[in-house]
Amino acid sequence: AAYAASRFSSAGEATGSTEAAHFARDLRHVQMLAMTLGKQLCVNAAGSSYSVSDTTAGSPPTCNAGAMTDPTTGTAFSATFDSGASFTTTPSPVLRFDSLGRPSTGSAPTVTDPTSYVVTSGGSSWTINVRRVTGLVEVTP
């Protein structure tokens, strides 16, 4: 007889894993939008939520207040994690993707590798790394 066993020891772990994967997918989406729209986009993350905003010209460009409208959904590009998941580490200043899809935390592409976010839930944590130059997004438990 066959049976399935959960690889998570708690509901909090399953929630955290799902939320980290969802956030990583949204980072990839932001990178593609920045290239498609030809402008820099900011990823604002804190507590248990994140949003994406566009920028106002300058050096470095200023992240606008409030979430931009996601052209693929027609709704505000923001999300709140489900019960218990939250960011414990976020880049400072905020992560931006330029019009070439390169990540930055200032006026130029990031000089450190990688830029990291940490999501914690149920006593476990996941690191979401954004690699410099390429913007490759990876999730590690």
Side-chain angles (χ1 to χ4, degrees):
Y3 69 93
S6 174
R7 60 183 199 165
F8 302 110
S9 61
S10 71
E13 274 189 69
T15 297
S17 176
T18 300
E19 295 299 348
H22 187 141
F23 178 63
R25 185 189 76 214
D26 279 349
L27 286 174
R28 292 178 193 109
H29 181 63
V30 173
Q31 183 183 36
M32 298 310 287
L33 279 176
M35 291 186 295
T36 301
L37 299 173
K39 62 181 173 179
Q40 194 169 101
L41 299 177
C42 300
V43 179
N44 305 290
S48 62
S49 63
Y50 59 94
S51 64
V52 177
S53 61
D54 54 9
T55 58
T56 302
S59 185
T62 304
C63 297
N64 293 328
M68 66 177 272
T69 299
D70 183 346
T72 59
T73 64
T75 61
F77 200 146
S78 62
T80 300
F81 291 150
D82 286 336
S83 58
S86 64
F87 289 103
T88 54
T89 303
T90 59
S92 179
V94 301
L95 177 67
R96 300 174 173 137
F97 285 102
D98 70 12
S99 61
L100 298 176
R102 299 175 301 184
S104 68
T105 53
S107 58
T110 56
V111 293
T112 58
D113 190 15
T115 297
S116 298
Y117 294 85
V118 176
V119 174
T120 304
S121 181
S124 296
S125 62
W126 296 262
T127 302
I128 299 93
N129 291 316
V130 181
R131 298 284 175 192
R132 67 184 176 109
V133 182
T134 64
L136 175 69
V137 179
E138 305 167 304
V139 179
T140 56

